Amino acid sequence: MKKSPVDRDAILNMSRSMAKKSPAKAASKRSVRSKVDPAKTDFKTLELYQQIKVQRDMAELLQTRDPYFLVHEGRAGATTLVDGREMINFASYDYLGLNGLDEVHAAAKEAIDTFGTSVSGSRPTSGERPFHGMLEQQLSELYESEAALVFVSGHATNVSTIGDLLGASDLVLFDAFSHNSVTTGCKLSGATRRSFKHNDFDDLERIISETRDKHDRVMIVVEGLYSMDGDTPDLARLVDIKERFGAWLMVDEAHSLGILGATGWGLFEEQNVDPKKIDIWMGTMSKTMSGCGGYICGNQALIDVLKFFASGFMYSVGLSAPLCVAGSKSIEIMQREPWRVEKLQSNGQYFLKAAKAAGLNTGLSQGFCVVPVIVGDSLRAVKLSNNLLERGIYAFPITYPAVPMNEARLRFFITAEHSEEQLQAAVDITTEELKKLEDANFSLSTSISSLHESK
Ligand code: PMP
C-alpha cells in the first residue's frame, strides 16, 4: 500500500495548539513562587500546635503525667493492664461488658472467615452483604421504625445526617451540652444554629416560638443520656414541642442504648414514650454494641435520602463484617440477658450513692453509666487522675472545652462488669486523693504562681 505523504505542517500546527492548552504552560505557572512567608508551611506555627505544646510543656514543668493516649495491654473491661499493672478501669464505655464475651468474638471471627475484614467499597457502588440488612432489621425492630441505616462511624453519622439533611433556609436547635459530632454537623449544614440551655425546654420553646416562622425545616437535637454529665432529657416534653412547632426531633442514643429502660432499649423505654414519635433515632455501635459505627432509624423516606445523600454513607466504605456481626450479636445478647442491664443500672446507682455520701460533687448525674466527679480546676482534675493511676484506678480527666471552664472533672464510666468492691474502692480512693489536693490548695493558678516565685 502506498503511504500518503507526511503532512509536516499539520503536525506542527497540532502540536502548537496542544502546547497552548498543555501542561507545559501549567508547569511554568507552577514554577511561579508566591511571596507567602515560608513559616506558613510549617505545621508547628499553627495555633493548634502551640496549644498542644504549651500543655505538654506545662505538664513537664508541673510534673503531671500527660493523660492522653495511655496504652492498654489487653482488653479494657472493668480492669485493664497499664504499664504491666492491673488497674480498675473507668475510662471505657463497654457498658454491658459484651466486648469481652467469647460468643461475640466467635461471631466476629466466623464473619471474617466468610467475608474478610473489609467490604472493600461503599455499599451503593460495591454492593451489600447480608449482615448489613440483618443489623438494620434488628435496629428497626428495636425502635419500631420503618427502616435503618448503619454507617462506619458514630461521629460521621451525626455529621452527615445533620449536615446533609439541613440547608441554609433551615434552623437547627441543639442542647448546649451536645457532643462535637452534633455541633460539627450543625455547622456543616449551613443552617441557622441556636443552642438552648442544657435540658431547659422552656428556653427551647422560647427560641423556637420566636424563630420558627423564619425557617423552612427545623430540627431539634438532643442526647438520650449526656456523656459528660450522665443526665437525661424529658422526651415527652420534647415530643410535645416538636409536634406543636412542626419540627423534626433527633435523639442521639450513644450512651443510652443498652443502659436506659428495664431491658436496655433506651430513652423511650425508660420514659415510656412511643418510639415512633421520634423522627430520627441515632446511636453508636462503639458502646454497648462492642464495635464501632453508627446508625439512624426512622421512616423509609428519611433512610432513602440518607442512602443517597448522606456523604458519610455514600462516599464511605460499608461497615465491615466483624464489626457489623459483633453489633448484631450484642443486641441479641442484650435482649436475651436483661440481667446485664439491671446490673449496670444497680452499679450506677451504687456508685452515685457512695460518691454523694462521700461528699463528692457528681453534678447532674442520674447514676446510670456516666458519673462525673467535678473538681472545678483543670490542673487539679489532671493531677487527681494521675494520683488515682498511681493507686490503681484509671478515670480520665475532662477539661475545657469538652466541659465548661471551671467544671473540670474525672468521668467515671460505670459498667455491668464492675463489682461493688471496685466501685467502693474508687469512691474511697478518689475522696482521699481529692482531699489531699484540696488541703494543699493545688490548682492551676497556685502552681503557676509558684513557678513564677521559683524563677
Ligand atoms: N454521640 C455521642 C453522644 C458520643 O458521645 C459520641 C462519642 N463517643 C459520638 C456520638 C460519636 O461516636 P463514635 O465514637 O462511635 O464515633
Side-chain angles (χ1 to χ4, degrees):
M1 200 172 71
K2 202 169 169 240
K3 272 171 125 189
S4 58
V6 172
D7 184 347
R8 285 171 164 267
D9 288 346
I11 293 170
L12 288 174
N13 279 342
M14 188 192 280
S15 69
R16 261 185 232 115
S17 84
M18 278 167 70
K20 273 189 197 150
K21 308 173 196 154
S22 82
K25 192 145 196 202
S28 72
K29 236 186 195 165
R30 252 187 263 127
S31 69
V32 173
R33 278 182 189 275
S34 100
K35 291 201 184 74
V36 173
D37 176 357
K40 292 284 177 208
T41 58
D42 182 350
F43 292 115
K44 288 188 178 154
T45 62
L46 286 172
E47 206 185 309
L48 298 174
Y49 180 81
Q50 293 304 320
Q51 271 180 31
I52 298 168
K53 172 107 177 59
V54 166
Q55 271 190 18
R56 281 186 188 151
D57 289 352
M58 213 152 79
E60 200 179 312
L61 267 177
L62 301 174
Q63 293 169 351
T64 47
R65 176 177 176 160
D66 184 343
Y68 294 102
F69 301 105
L70 195 79
V71 178
H72 296 259
E73 288 148 33
R75 173 185 167 252
T79 58
T80 185
L81 208 61
V82 175
D83 296 338
R85 282 177 65 208
E86 189 176 277
M87 307 274 166
I88 310 175
N89 180 30
F90 292 96
S92 308
Y93 40 50
D94 179 15
Y95 295 129
L96 297 179
L98 305 180
N99 187 35
L101 294 188
D102 288 345
E103 188 181 348
V104 174
H105 302 172
K109 285 175 192 163
E110 199 184 313
I112 292 175
D113 289 343
T114 313
F115 296 101
T117 47
S118 172
V119 297
S120 310
S122 85
R123 287 167 58 188
T125 58
S126 290
E128 297 272 276
R129 307 290 188 283
F131 50 77
H132 291 135
M134 198 182 122
L135 177 58
E136 285 164 356
Q137 178 65 30
Q138 279 175 299
L139 289 163
S140 300
E141 281 168 17
L142 215 145
Y143 290 103
E144 298 177 39
S145 66
E146 286 175 14
L149 190 65
V150 292
F151 295 63
V152 281
S153 140
H155 194 279
T157 306
N158 272 338
V159 172
S160 288
T161 302
I162 303 170
D164 294 324
L165 268 184
L166 297 176
S169 59
D170 303 327
L171 169 69
V172 59
L173 297 156
F174 55 95
D175 190 284
F177 285 10
S178 291
H179 188 258
N180 169 279
S181 53
V182 170
T183 55
T184 303
C186 295
K187 272 188 218 153
L188 181 73
S189 71
T192 303
R193 291 174 272 141
R194 296 285 298 270
S195 71
F196 52 91
K197 288 184 202 145
H198 176 56
N199 266 345
D200 182 342
F201 303 130
D202 291 337
D203 195 37
L204 168 65
E205 197 161 336
R206 184 187 56 76
I207 300 172
I208 200 169
S209 60
E210 285 167 6
T211 51
R212 177 66 189 92
D213 292 348
K214 301 190 187 90
H215 300 279
D216 185 12
R217 317 283 173 159
V218 175
M219 186 191 279
I220 301 167
V221 191
V222 296
E223 290 172 29
L225 187 139
Y226 284 85
S227 60
M228 300 294 170
D229 293 80
D231 58 341
T232 59
D234 177 349
L235 191 56
R237 172 97 197 263
L238 283 161
V239 168
D240 171 59
I241 295 175
K242 80 111 196 168
E243 284 178 348
R244 281 191 291 114
F245 289 92
W248 289 322
L249 176 60
M250 174 167 177
V251 183
D252 176 336
E253 288 267 279
H255 299 270
S256 31
L257 176 71
I259 292 112
L260 300 179
T263 54
W265 289 29
L267 187 65
F268 75 85
E269 188 188 17
E270 174 74 20
Q271 298 187 355
N272 198 22
V273 173
D274 179 357
K276 294 193 284 304
K277 296 204 165 182
I278 284 69
D279 305 276
I280 309 175
W281 284 109
M282 179 273 169
T284 61
M285 295 164 59
S286 49
K287 284 86 182 173
T288 43
M289 288 172 73
S290 334
C292 83
Y295 61 83
I296 295 287
C297 293
N299 73 20
Q300 190 62 56
L302 167 73
I303 300 302
D304 284 346
V305 169
L306 295 178
K307 273 184 160 172
F308 287 96
F309 294 101
S311 45
F313 177 80
M314 181 72 188
Y315 300 102
S316 193
V317 68
L319 198 62
S320 73
L323 294 173
C324 205
V325 168
S328 280
K329 195 42 101 183
S330 298
I331 292 183
E332 188 192 312
I333 299 171
M334 181 185 104
Q335 292 177 324
R336 195 182 69 208
E337 299 176 3
W339 63 264
R340 292 179 188 277
V341 179
E342 250 172 66
K343 179 74 173 41
L344 166 64
Q345 292 178 357
S346 80
N347 274 352
Q349 289 307 317
Y350 182 96
F351 187 86
L352 182 70
K353 213 169 141 208
K356 280 187 167 168
L360 297 172
N361 177 2
T362 53
L364 302 168
S365 178
Q366 291 174 226
F368 287 102
C369 56
V370 173
V371 184
V373 170
I374 300 172
V375 304
D377 181 82
S378 53
L379 192 65
R380 189 176 287 184
V382 173
K383 192 70 176 166
L384 179 60
S385 169
N386 284 180
N387 294 355
L388 291 193
L389 211 54
E390 288 295 312
R391 297 194 57 188
I393 288 171
Y394 182 32
F396 193 76
I398 316 268
T399 57
Y400 179 81
V403 292
M405 200 68 101
N406 298 325
E407 285 192 30
R409 63 198 62 192
L410 293 197
R411 176 176 55 184
F412 290 81
F413 285 133
I414 311 298
T415 77
E417 284 186 294
H418 286 119
S419 67
E420 289 188 354
E421 292 70 34
Q422 288 170 331
L423 298 172
Q424 191 62 54
V427 167
D428 294 345
I429 294 173
T430 303
T431 311
E432 247 176 77
E433 291 299 328
L434 181 58
K435 179 149 190 334
K436 281 189 211 159
L437 293 173
E438 283 169 350
D439 290 349
N441 198 18
F442 183 91
S443 72
L444 185 59
S445 55
T446 55
S447 302
I448 289 185
S449 314
S450 59
L451 277 182
H452 279 299
E453 280 157 24
S454 63
K455 241 178 115 185

